[in-house]
Amino acid sequence: MNQGLYLESISAMTKEFLGQKDFEAFVGATKTTLLSLLNKSQDKDTIRRAIIDFMAQRGIKAIVIFDKQIIDIKTSIQNREKNAYIDFLVRYLEGQNYAKKMQNNKNYLKEIFTYMQQHSTINDESLIKDIVRGALKKILKLNERDGLFFNNLEPFVKNFDFELVENNTKIRKLQKSSHIEALLDDTTKAKIKAALKNTQLEAISRRIVQEIINEKLFGMSVIDFLRSFSFLYIQALSKEILRITSGDFEQYTIDCYCVESYRLSKNYICDILSSEVLGYLELDKQAARDFVMFFSKREIRLNGRLIHIPLIQDAGSKIWNLNDIEAILHAESSINGDIKTQRAKIAQIEEQIVDIQKSLHKNEMLIAEKQRQIQILSNEYDAKKAQSIAYQKADVETRNAMTKIINGILQDKIHALDAITVFKTKETTLKEKKNELDEAKKVAENDITRIIQENKEGIQRLQNLLDAFSFCIGKVIEELDDNV
């Protein structure tokens, strides 16, 4: 076998693999590229071996046929879970930012199947599903043990990690206030906090509470809503933190962290819940009215235990009934509206800051990846240079092939350095934008302070109501958690 020709063939196929948009285009370009090498060397066996080896490394079985001035490559998928078709589809989906699109519109799934039908010669529907499944598991960062099924082209993800069910049971038990022991050691908690250092957890908490209200409050009884609230919150927070930390921690570790986080911030979370419910009451939503009226001095028997439902009574001993609450919400609606506007602005800014921090994190990872690539290329360059010395007495074609490979490595290294420059420029732009948002957030916070100073008395009465309502909600949720 001609070692120089083999290396040159592999190098040529690698460039085509990285440069083409789909597998069929890659095969077509490979035929053309390798035909020119064949015309120079006439060494069919070496080129055939290079094609077969290259394809095999990417889960593809190849049969190579030479017919006059034609190279025919017949391929079939050998590994249905890891193959070149999946690699090309992943590259396409990442370019389309598919993971984010899918969160907003699941119809994008149909577009993937259409894309595969248009950009491949595969007629086997089950095989196409395997390719799409393999790509989606990578794009959506699913575990290898997770299953992903399609029902009328809509994805249904089923997790076969049986620890998940056990973890959910443990979460429900750990919700009980009697479980006051630390669930994680200080070192593990410090590592998770470090991974979340650029994350606006308060903004995430507010969004989670809002989502739980929107999805559950209007379709459940008040007692069922309060009984499930802690679990739903912890589960949603766990899912969010797992996504942010990109699988750096075990599911159960994050669950424990979220349970402890919920314990520490329970008062703040109940404040959000009370504020959001009163906001819906101001919008005349019947579910919010039912929620407020639920809090009357009484007892409910649940699972053989009595749950105490308190009155909404503030620190000044004022008892707030529905009419009183609606009256103050109406009286303070203008002031409250101005404050809500500024708080909404702050929440929006915080969401943008979160997005920027995610982009910065991704940018840092890309820079690190390019730096690793440069290190690999440097090592490869040194190895090829050393290898080229051994080829000094080889034939001209072998020496030329080795020279091309070395030059190709240098070009790849230059491209990687150029990419790092682009990423660093983007990093600077993102940091400048974050500074602008931080400043805008300060302005909005100052506006809230000014409004509060100008309307102290009315705002204080409203705050007394919110505190009392939040306290009642928290007491009932705590009793219900102990009753899990």
Side-chain angles (χ1 to χ4, degrees):
M1 183 176 71
N2 185 330
Q3 184 69 20
L5 179 60
Y6 179 88
L7 292 173
E8 190 172 3
S9 299
I10 294 292
S11 177
M13 282 187 285
T14 301
K15 288 182 179 179
E16 294 297 348
F17 189 82
L18 296 175
Q20 299 300 326
K21 292 183 177 181
D22 57 62
F23 182 76
E24 310 300 340
F26 157 67
V27 172
T30 294
K31 292 177 184 179
T32 302
T33 302
L34 296 187
L35 183 61
S36 63
L37 294 180
L38 179 63
N39 289 336
K40 294 177 183 177
S41 66
Q42 298 298 314
D43 189 342
K44 297 178 180 179
D45 291 338
T46 296
I47 291 178
R48 177 183 285 109
R49 174 47 53 194
I51 295 172
I52 291 173
D53 289 352
F54 186 93
M55 294 294 187
Q57 289 177 1
R58 288 155 182 82
I60 303 293
K61 180 180 180 181
I63 298 175
V64 184
I65 301 171
F66 298 93
D67 185 13
K68 298 181 180 178
Q69 293 300 311
I70 297 175
I71 298 178
D72 189 19
I73 304 174
K74 299 184 182 297
T75 62
S76 59
I77 294 177
Q78 198 165 30
N79 188 334
R80 294 175 77 107
E81 296 179 356
K82 296 180 180 179
N83 57 67
Y85 282 93
I86 292 176
D87 295 337
F88 276 108
L89 185 55
V90 167
R91 194 186 307 167
Y92 168 77
L93 295 177
E94 287 179 339
Q96 296 293 311
N97 200 13
Y98 180 79
K100 187 173 183 179
K101 289 180 178 179
M102 187 176 174
Q103 292 176 358
N104 302 321
N105 184 355
K106 290 185 178 180
N107 288 332
Y108 279 105
L109 183 66
K110 296 178 181 178
E111 294 184 11
I112 299 183
F113 280 88
T114 301
Y115 177 85
M116 281 301 301
Q117 290 166 350
Q118 293 174 347
H119 291 80
S120 75
T121 58
I122 300 174
N123 296 318
D124 185 344
E125 184 178 342
S126 67
L127 189 52
I128 290 180
K129 284 184 177 181
D130 281 347
I131 293 168
V132 174
R133 181 180 294 109
L136 283 178
K137 287 177 76 170
K138 289 187 177 181
I139 291 296
L140 300 177
K141 301 187 187 308
L142 297 180
N143 213 304
E144 284 192 0
R145 294 174 64 190
D146 292 344
L148 193 153
F149 305 90
F150 301 107
N151 182 15
N152 295 326
L153 297 188
E154 291 297 331
F156 172 67
V157 178
K158 182 176 178 62
N159 192 308
F160 284 105
D161 188 350
F162 293 104
E163 291 180 2
L164 182 64
V165 177
E166 183 182 354
N167 286 345
N168 286 348
T169 302
K170 289 179 180 178
I171 287 175
R172 293 189 182 280
K173 290 181 180 178
L174 293 172
Q175 289 170 220
K176 297 184 178 184
S177 60
S178 58
H179 288 271
I180 58 175
E181 74 279 2
L183 304 178
L184 295 175
D185 60 87
D186 292 339
T187 302
T188 301
K189 282 189 279 192
K191 288 180 180 179
I192 297 174
K193 286 180 180 178
L196 299 173
K197 65 179 180 179
N198 295 323
T199 302
Q200 297 284 343
L201 286 177
E202 289 188 358
I204 291 173
S205 292
R206 180 171 294 277
R207 175 164 53 79
I208 288 173
V209 173
Q210 290 170 339
E211 289 173 354
I212 293 173
I213 291 174
N214 291 335
E215 293 175 8
K216 302 296 182 182
L217 181 62
F218 301 104
M220 300 175 71
S221 67
V222 178
I223 190 69
D224 285 340
F225 176 85
L226 293 171
R227 184 167 55 173
S228 60
F229 179 80
S230 297
F231 175 75
L232 292 172
Y233 178 88
I234 294 167
Q235 191 181 53
L237 182 62
S238 179
K239 181 179 178 182
E240 186 73 13
I241 292 179
L242 272 174
R243 183 187 62 79
I244 293 170
T245 56
S246 303
D248 292 339
F249 302 93
E250 294 292 331
Q251 169 82 54
Y252 184 62
T253 300
I254 294 298
D255 286 343
C256 289
Y257 180 84
C258 291
V259 170
E260 290 199 4
S261 174
Y262 176 74
R263 289 177 189 167
L264 293 172
S265 57
K266 188 181 292 185
N267 291 341
Y268 171 73
I269 294 166
C270 286
D271 287 345
I272 298 172
L273 180 54
S274 64
S275 177
E276 291 294 325
V277 170
L278 292 184
Y280 278 114
L281 180 61
E282 199 171 350
L283 295 173
D284 201 29
K285 298 292 185 180
Q286 184 59 45
R289 188 175 286 106
D290 293 340
F291 194 97
V292 170
M293 290 191 296
F294 174 81
F295 291 91
S296 57
K297 191 173 182 179
R298 59 199 172 102
E299 293 179 338
I300 296 176
R301 185 168 293 278
L302 190 66
N303 297 336
R305 291 183 56 181
L306 288 177
I307 306 298
H308 303 278
I309 312 299
L311 290 168
I312 304 174
Q313 185 173 3
D314 67 21
S317 298
K318 175 176 174 53
I319 296 173
W320 292 86
N321 58 35
L322 179 62
N323 290 335
D324 292 336
I325 293 173
E326 289 181 325
I328 192 172
L329 289 177
H330 178 72
E332 306 299 333
S333 61
S334 177
I335 298 169
N336 197 35
D338 290 342
I339 293 175
K340 279 189 174 181
T341 297
Q342 296 304 320
R343 284 178 176 161
K345 187 184 295 183
I346 290 171
Q348 185 179 26
I349 289 171
E350 287 175 342
E351 289 283 353
Q352 290 178 282
I353 290 173
V354 169
D355 289 339
I356 287 176
Q357 288 170 333
K358 289 176 185 175
S359 297
L360 282 168
H361 178 64
K362 182 179 179 181
N363 210 57
E364 290 171 1
M365 290 173 57
L366 290 170
I367 290 173
E369 178 60 33
K370 287 298 178 183
Q371 289 171 337
R372 285 193 293 270
Q373 185 179 343
I374 288 172
Q375 183 60 52
I376 292 170
L377 289 169
S378 297
N379 294 339
E380 189 177 352
Y381 176 80
D382 292 341
K384 294 301 181 187
K385 284 290 289 183
Q387 191 177 357
S388 67
I389 296 174
Y391 286 159
Q392 286 181 350
K393 296 182 180 180
D395 58 87
V396 175
E397 287 186 359
T398 299
R399 294 200 305 274
N400 289 342
M402 183 58 70
T403 300
K404 287 183 179 180
I405 291 172
I406 291 172
N407 290 338
I409 293 171
L410 285 174
Q411 285 299 313
D412 290 341
K413 188 173 179 180
I414 290 170
H415 292 154
L417 289 168
D418 290 342
I420 288 177
T421 301
V422 172
F423 292 143
K424 286 189 176 294
T425 301
K426 182 179 179 181
E427 181 180 50
T428 301
T429 303
L430 287 170
K431 286 182 177 178
E432 289 174 353
K433 179 62 177 176
K434 182 180 178 298
N435 290 336
E436 292 175 6
L437 290 170
D438 286 337
E439 191 60 35
K441 182 181 175 182
K442 288 180 183 177
V443 171
E445 289 171 339
N446 290 337
D447 284 342
I448 290 176
T449 302
R450 174 184 55 77
I451 294 169
I452 291 173
Q453 287 296 324
E454 293 173 355
N455 302 275
K456 283 185 179 179
E457 186 177 340
I459 289 175
Q460 186 58 57
R461 286 193 299 147
L462 185 60
Q463 189 59 52
N464 288 345
L465 165 62
L466 285 168
D467 290 343
F469 194 28
S470 174
F471 177 80
C472 289
I473 291 171
K475 288 297 290 183
V476 174
I477 287 177
E478 187 174 299
E479 277 203 53
L480 290 169
D481 286 350
D482 286 344
N483 199 39
V484 171

